[in-house]
Amino acid sequence: QLRKDLTAAGYQQSSYTDAFFLTLVHEFGHTLGLQHTFTSATMSTAITRATTRGAPLAADDVSGISLLYPAGGYAASTGSITGQVIGAANGAGVNLASVVALSTSGVAISGMTRPDGTYEIDGIPPGQYYIYVHPLPPPQTGEATPANIVIPADQQKDIFTANTSFVTQFFPGTQDWTQAVPASVAAGNVIKNVNFAVTASAGPAVYAMEHYGTR
């Protein structure tokens, strides 16, 4: 809980560290309708977040909030990537796979697949992008779903659980990023049929880790 006026005299003030500031930005993102992401943005969980107080919003955050509350001309200034993720063994759609467009300059924007495996990543700034798909991690202790993401449900409120048991893959169908083929995203254009046929796995051996060091 936050007081209406954090500058009021006579109260012990809250911390203004990077962690406090970024946590506030993160939680305000939720109030505006954003879910968690695994693309190292403010809306990532703390251990995967790569933003600072000096640069609190990453491209993934900007894309998400701009799609919910678009400014005039925003859609025309960015591009989109669409496709489908299926299981190589059965051809079934892979639900809630995280598909990431990673530019050669380090900009990363992601989206998640629907229950039929289709996806659409919008709000991508023009440029060259590698595209890869990876599974969400299993829920950690205390989480009902991976990263507490709200998962899709049908009209009968039957839920579509996340498929977290497949191997990460770069387009067009390789686990070696040096063999990946970049796509050229242009403003106002859609790159279609960026599809993946992923191989099943037993799940990640390690999926959440923090490490510390001294200098």
Side-chain angles (χ1 to χ4, degrees):
Q1 293 182 347
L2 299 173
R3 294 191 306 277
K4 181 182 295 185
D5 183 2
L6 290 177
T7 66
Y11 296 95
Q12 182 175 349
Q13 297 301 304
S14 300
S15 166
Y16 285 94
T17 63
D18 267 26
F20 173 75
F21 178 83
L22 292 172
T23 296
L24 287 187
V25 177
H26 177 101
E27 297 305 330
F28 277 125
H30 284 315
T31 68
L32 293 171
L34 295 178
Q35 290 218 64
H36 286 155
T37 178
F38 287 87
T39 317
S40 296
T42 288
M43 294 312 298
S44 300
T45 54
I47 61 173
T48 57
R49 194 176 299 156
T51 50
T52 66
R53 187 176 178 185
L57 298 179
D60 196 62
D61 302 309
V62 174
S63 173
I65 204 67
S66 296
L67 294 170
L68 290 175
Y69 308 95
Y74 176 77
S77 69
T78 61
S80 302
I81 297 173
T82 67
Q84 186 177 27
V85 181
I86 63 171
N90 58 15
V94 176
N95 184 45
L96 287 182
S98 178
V99 187
V100 184
L102 176 64
S103 80
T104 52
S105 64
V107 171
I109 297 178
S110 65
M112 292 187 185
T113 57
R114 306 177 183 97
D116 64 355
T118 59
Y119 71 90
E120 180 173 344
I121 309 174
D122 296 314
I124 307 174
Q128 294 285 102
Y129 289 83
Y130 294 100
I131 304 106
Y132 67 93
V133 60
H134 69 98
L136 300 183
Q140 298 189 54
T141 303
E143 293 180 343
T145 61
N148 284 326
I149 288 174
V150 178
I151 58 179
D154 61 20
Q155 293 182 340
Q156 287 71 43
K157 298 185 178 180
D158 293 322
I159 61 173
F160 297 90
T161 57
N163 184 326
T164 61
S165 299
F166 65 90
V167 178
T168 296
Q169 185 182 111
F170 284 85
F171 183 79
T174 178
Q175 294 179 45
D176 181 357
W177 74 269
T178 64
Q179 301 300 312
V181 176
S184 182
V185 176
N189 287 345
V190 180
I191 299 177
K192 299 180 180 179
N193 299 318
V194 179
N195 302 322
F196 299 87
V198 295
T199 304
S201 73
V206 176
Y207 61 89
M209 178 174 61
E210 293 182 69
H211 54 253
Y212 302 87
T214 58
R215 299 176 62 180

